[in-house]
């Protein structure tokens, strides 16, 4: 049933792209890696070993010209997203674009504009947390009203360490960006204002770390987000949701409980690759299923734009120490559900 | 790439078979439901809706005669397994046979004999627990020796309730049968003897329940298995493994922690369908991957035969109240890894 | 050994005072209830049944005049504390004063002045959390440096409900007042500034609830405190401490784990009386032991004064929505350890 | 109020006796250490430092002759219990006797006979687990019927290590002896039969370890007890109770949850001294309170005798590998509640 398999061009064969190639080649039902787009020859060769039948190209335009591609999965660094998104939209292909949609609000708007020339949204943005089983359960709990209305969210986002190239503003644009998507999604309201606080610095850090990010949502829900990128002990992403009649927490480590050496407990994740492994699988499967039907099933480019707006406000808040209001445009009818 | 997709005939479209059809049709990479074999017309029709391109047959022979089938997934009741296994082996197809391999030791031996006429094992038996992430982690811990040698296993297997057709001996042949596979797999040794105890009966039960099953493994490891099939509160399958230098437990419920109504905790499973959902997916994916390479990747027919021997001993132990020795034949070279 | 038992006058026989009378009469080693001071006749009579040998007085002066009292435990409402503290200090007696030391900074200063006329501090303030085993363990962890330096504290303080007489400012003066003592104690630094945020209101509340209180400590540690006084589900006081190399949490409910009705978990506390029962016992025992040696062993009047300053700032922050700096005087030598 | 303080002679100033002296001297309300009976001079001197006003004697008879003693707390090794119990009973004193009541059934019967010459029971036996908050909560749950009837008990009793003088039979007489008291207490029925199994031996052990002890109670409840005395990782005493409609577990470690070094969990106990610290305090306080009223409030000498019978049967079961029936005499009216 070749004609029914979604033929995906994966753009970017770094860690993330290679992971997606392996996923599409071995686990995602109904999809195949038709092309790998990667200018770096050795990366392209390594990725190609995972999907031997895929064509290899150095540039997206080549892949599109060669044909035989139904969809594009973009896993390049953010600054290169627009250059892939625009021709992919032009070709009318389905797109899964790793977060962020674009590094600036301006670029995000440019992408929105291009997409709106199509009959319907084709871009899904890779905020994979929405596909994590616990986040999804928490979102269902909010929607159900079983514990009353949602009032507060306490989030923690802890990385064991970051690369030398990671800078202070990336705590917002690269890390908290996930909360900038998932908090409004959980709360059912956009971000109205953002503040960033830093206190005592972890001596393992080159910049302010940890930081406390305060989000005011348009429906009154408050969220605090601890971002720690030198946490050392493990990779931990938790949310505690305070409702009118109860509290729910997600992100506690699970797995075999070991009693050894005087302690009893479970292993913590060390990386997003294990913490969100199932979420990535679900995200990609649902995108493929939707793309084969001509739609998307997850965060849209509009969601990506809103995150870009909040992210820019967050960087300003971080730089100035002030509360910064977040004022995205109204969603056009094109993006309304 | 039609030629690369494993074309599976699913035999039996009851609850389990329908579940497998849905899995193969929507989640399993590299497989398609080529045929559905089900004599009951309305069941066949319902299942067919999940895999519209699949041919529908009333008998396995018809499906085999029609061709276009690479593999058979058997999900009929156990008494009908042999009648599907023998022609499937004759046709040289890959087989995933739901547990148990066969309802009697004699039938199991007959199947082994037929399989040994092939160049290599083609039957994988559906003991899905080996594919559960926690069981797999526990097995790794045993193999690693990180906590010393394994000494004891404490298992609990609790069902909220059972159908009216479920009888006392089915506690062994239908329920504990899973432990009869997974305990030797964890311990790395066969079952040498089995005893069954019953004490105070749950008033919700028509027969002895709960029961305590004691297993002596050939390497000295002891295992106790509580089987409760009227536990009411949920579906719970746990194992506590005692090592020389530590203890490890699996099967504790995970997921969002809710504090509400004066209690703090998580939801328990209500059925094996959620508890082992991921295990079934993994099992079938790994079987498909192996079948496409011409092999198996999980419990073999020999494992299925050993379980049949232990299961028969268990039923005798249950009936007589005595310790019954378990003496399977030596594994022929054909089945040795 | 009558002469060795600390003869305590308990002032105030409301819920808290009665609880202390019962504790002193039945559990506290080395102390006896020598007098009960309570103007309300029926309360006095009820309390007297728990300590039949105690003299009963309507006013503290009568109790002091009658003699036979070594120490005073003050459990009246805060506005009446000063009127008991001053004559008790005048008489040179040991004092355990329930929190807060005084309702205003001015009254607290007046008490400090009176106490400094004595050779050494005699007032211990009843911030019992410091005597809770988990708080104490967390404080030890901070002191030990085993997880690196303390960086952040996330606190939650949840009451199922409050009385009709409870007002919005009491969220600070009556509830968060505990965190205003224990956060600086844990962090090893005073509070430098305080802010209060309110978002979406619990519909069960007459005033802003929940609220988020942000504390900046003088050593850079940040603390966020969620105060919810209509939480419904239970009484929960938790702290998550973020260190340079790890995270520690206290206040998670413990006790028998029950699996029933589809859920697995433990009972949550419903009131401070059970959550901190052992802490109160420890607090009073250690105060009695210290009082018999002529000293105190817990929060001093100076600590009580600092909390009064922070509390006043908190009420202002709550009223104005602004960040308010907290500037207590320097501790006089008299109060330095 | 000297005349109201229970004047206790503590017999035996080893680890356990010294612990009790410290408890009585500093924490137990309404009691004082009036005498220390210890033939070893240096031990006596060390203990005396904790209770300077206590008289010191080498033999119980001297202490009794000297007078001024209301009660005796026996903390000598078991073989010496009878020699203290008989004169203490003769003197009509209240007794708290550390477990076991006596090392043999014969001696236990001799003690029972002596006690029955008094108007009412005066001996309480030191099975402290009944005073542990979690055991007590579990017992309440059994009594309440909230989860239906109790059906099974799964117990684990794990010691990190034992002294060189500890022998195989002591696993029963010294360790499982606690379960021989507490299991019937929880289940509300006596032990009818006992079996002992040993499997693969922990290489850290000089004798069979771990062992599995199976108890059949007279009301049909079954209990399995894992005894491990070389568990290494910590001191752990757990019970999982299976009811008709739910399961309850006690003994899971509590306390601060630490995330560090890739793991998340709590500290396990290393010794009974911390695991049961509060239980010992409660036990002694309740014994003192009862003794001052002329009675006991905990396991009686009859309970101690029944444990001696079960313990002897357990040792025989261990030696022979056979199921041994346990047949204590009927409780005389003297001991019936």
């Amino acid at each position: 049933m070749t004609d029914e398999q979604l033929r995906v061009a994966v753009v970017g064969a770094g860690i993330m792209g290679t992971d997606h190639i392996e996923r599409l080649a071995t686990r995602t039902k109904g999809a195949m890696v038709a092309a790998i787009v990667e200018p770096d020859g050795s990366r392209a060769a390594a990725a190609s070993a995972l999907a031997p039948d895929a064509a290899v190209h150095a540039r997206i335009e080549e892949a599109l010209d060669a044909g035989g591609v139904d969809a594009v999965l973009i896993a390049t660094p953010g600054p290169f997203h627009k250059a892939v998104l625009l021709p992919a939209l032009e070709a009318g292909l389905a797109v899964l674009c790793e977060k962020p949609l674009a590094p600036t609000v301006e670029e995000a708007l440019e992408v929105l504009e291009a997409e709106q020339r199509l009959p319907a949204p084709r871009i899904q943005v890779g905020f994979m947390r929405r596909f994590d089983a616990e986040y999804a359960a928490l979102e269902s709990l909010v929607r159900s009203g079983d514990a009353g209305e949602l009032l507060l969210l306490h989030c923690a986002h802890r990385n064991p360490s970051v690369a030398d190239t990671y800078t202070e503003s990336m705590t917002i644009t690269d890390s908290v960006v996930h909360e900038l998507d998932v908090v409004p999604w959980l709360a059912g309201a956009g971000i109205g204002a953002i503040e960033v606080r830093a206190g005592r610095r972890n001596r393992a850090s080159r910049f302010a770390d940890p930081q406390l990010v305060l989000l005011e949502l348009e429906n009154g829900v408050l969220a605090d987000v601890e971002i720690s990128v030198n946490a050392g002990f493990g990779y931990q992403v938790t949310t505690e949701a305070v409702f009118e009649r109860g509290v729910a927490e997600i992100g506690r480590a699970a797995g075999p409980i070991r009693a050894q050496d005087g302690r009893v407990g479970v292993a913590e994740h060390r990386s997003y690759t294990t913490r969100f492994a199932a979420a990535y699988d679900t995200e990609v499967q649902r995108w493929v299923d939707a793309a084969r039907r001509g739609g998307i099933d997850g965060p849209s480019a509009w969601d990506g734009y809103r995150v870009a707006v909040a992210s820019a406000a967050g960087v300003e808040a971080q730089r100035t120490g002030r509360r910064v209001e977040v004022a995205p445009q109204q969603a056009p009818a094109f993006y309304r559900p």
Side-chain angles (χ1 to χ4, degrees), chain A:
Chain A
M1 298 190 285
T2 307
D3 56 318
E4 292 197 5
Q5 297 245 10
L6 189 77
R7 297 169 301 175
V8 183
V10 177
V11 187
I15 293 174
M16 202 74 221
T18 302
D19 192 46
H20 280 306
I21 289 166
E22 200 251 342
R23 175 176 294 108
L24 286 164
T26 62
R27 296 196 297 281
T28 311
K29 178 79 175 178
M32 56 177 289
V33 183
I36 296 170
V37 180
E38 170 59 59
D40 181 302
S42 67
R43 281 186 174 182
S48 190
L50 299 169
D53 296 335
V56 176
H57 301 283
R59 302 177 56 249
I60 180 66
E61 288 79 4
E62 290 169 23
L64 298 181
D65 288 350
V69 166
D70 305 314
V72 177
L73 195 165
I74 306 175
T76 63
F80 302 103
H81 285 183
K82 193 183 78 175
V84 183
L85 284 163
L86 296 183
L89 289 174
E90 185 107 9
L93 303 186
V95 177
L96 179 60
C97 178
E98 270 302 328
K99 61 93 191 168
L101 176 64
T104 66
V105 175
E106 292 68 31
E107 289 195 16
L109 282 169
E110 206 175 328
V111 170
L112 288 184
E113 205 175 315
E115 189 178 33
Q116 289 176 75
R117 285 184 218 118
L118 301 178
R122 298 304 311 268
I123 301 174
Q124 181 168 327
V125 182
F127 290 114
M128 79 295 181
R129 289 197 190 169
R130 299 193 189 188
F131 300 93
D132 174 66
E134 291 206 344
Y135 271 105
L138 186 53
E139 200 262 354
S140 293
L141 179 58
V142 175
R143 295 294 93 78
S144 74
D146 282 355
E149 286 198 6
L150 178 68
L151 303 174
L152 290 178
L153 290 166
H154 303 299
C155 308
H157 182 157
R158 296 164 181 147
N159 270 279
S161 62
V162 283
D164 286 349
T165 53
Y166 191 101
T167 61
E168 185 170 295
S169 65
M170 289 172 73
T171 53
I172 303 299
T173 60
D174 202 61
S175 297
V176 176
V177 72
H178 281 292
E179 277 80 13
L180 297 181
D181 174 67
V182 85
V183 163
W185 176 71
L186 285 172
I191 297 171
I194 185 168
E195 275 183 81
V196 181
R197 304 291 177 87
R200 186 186 269 196
R201 178 178 298 190
N202 191 330
R203 288 168 295 177
S205 179
R206 291 169 286 112
F207 48 77
D209 183 62
Q211 296 171 86
L212 206 56
V213 179
L214 301 170
L215 304 176
E216 299 171 26
L217 301 200
E218 287 161 351
N219 61 355
V221 169
L222 298 179
D224 50 75
V225 182
E226 174 204 325
I227 173 69
S228 293
V229 297
N230 293 278
F233 74 90
Y235 178 82
Q236 197 177 61
V237 171
T238 65
T239 295
E240 189 179 19
V242 180
F243 294 87
E244 290 182 307
R245 293 192 304 274
V247 176
E249 297 173 70
I250 61 169
R252 301 285 155 182
I257 300 169
R258 285 180 66 178
Q260 203 162 343
D261 301 325
R263 298 197 67 76
V264 181
V266 299
E268 185 50 276
H269 289 282
R270 306 305 299 248
S271 154
Y272 67 91
T273 56
T274 56
R275 170 66 179 87
F276 290 111
Y280 279 113
D281 283 358
T282 303
E283 173 194 59
V284 172
Q285 184 68 64
R286 284 178 54 184
W287 170 66
V288 165
D289 294 347
R292 291 170 76 188
R293 296 186 308 261
I296 62 172
D297 185 7
S300 68
W302 183 259
D303 293 314
Y305 156 71
R306 287 168 60 106
V307 170
V309 173
S311 188
V315 171
E316 186 188 337
Q318 187 180 51
R319 190 175 46 81
T320 61
R322 288 207 298 267
R323 176 180 176 276
V324 175
E325 298 208 352
V326 178
Q329 304 179 2
Q330 277 290 86
F334 184 81
Y335 288 111
R336 271 181 236 134

